[in-house]
């Protein structure tokens, strides 16, 4: 589902104030964007369910609020990057060593921050 090329216009059509051509073009663009938003909303739910299926067995399930569409909960669930790294490791896009390195860096950073606060 993309843009219907027959409804598109050129820049000259817009500059020459060809109202019918420009209106048809803008209408087509908005329709394509609305279809994309619907598609993204549908796929985002499926994607969260799929992510949760990978995360649940390792004790990192997404919150019920995230799965019900709460954006704040989604941000909270992914804020510390642990779940993202777990997904990358489970998909073979990162290694366990990468995950451990990130955890070590985070821990070292906290220790260094504590020294600065003292």
């Amino acid at each position: 589902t993309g843009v219907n090329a027959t409804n598109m216009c050129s820049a000259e059509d817009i500059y020459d104030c060809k109202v019918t051509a420009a209106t048809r073009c803008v209408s087509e663009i908005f329709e394509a964007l609305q279809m994309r938003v619907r598609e993204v909303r549908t796929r985002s739910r499926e994607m969260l369910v799929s992510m949760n299926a990978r995360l649940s067995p390792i004790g990192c399930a997404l919150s019920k609020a995230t799965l019900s569409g709460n954006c704040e909960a989604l941000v909270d669930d992914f804020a510390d990057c642990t779940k993202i790294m777990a997904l990358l490791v489970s998909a073979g896009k990162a290694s366990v060593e990468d995950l451990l390195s990130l955890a070590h860096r985070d821990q070292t950073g906290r220790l260094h921050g504590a020294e600065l606060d003292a």
Side-chain angles (χ1 to χ4, degrees), residues 29-116:
I29 291 169
F30 283 146
E31 181 64 27
L33 290 172
Q34 287 176 339
M35 290 301 293
R36 183 65 53 151
V37 168
R38 281 185 228 131
E39 182 181 315
V40 167
R41 284 186 182 149
T42 300
R43 291 191 65 213
S44 65
R45 170 94 173 107
E46 293 168 5
M47 188 175 291
L48 287 174
V49 169
S50 175
M51 287 178 184
N52 197 49
R54 286 182 180 254
L55 293 169
S56 291
I58 59 172
C60 293
L62 296 173
S63 67
K64 289 181 182 178
T66 292
L67 294 171
S68 69
N70 182 310
C71 291
E72 289 176 9
L74 177 72
V75 170
D76 289 343
D77 273 353
F78 288 100
D80 70 355
C81 297
T82 304
K83 288 181 171 81
I84 290 291
M85 283 302 294
L87 288 167
L88 290 170
V89 169
S90 75
K93 302 297 182 185
S95 67
V96 173
E97 290 77 21
D98 294 330
L99 180 59
L100 295 173
S101 171
L102 183 64
H104 175 72
R105 227 176 307 158
D106 182 48
Q107 190 175 36
T108 304
R110 276 194 236 146
L111 291 173
H112 183 64
E115 289 172 4
L116 293 176

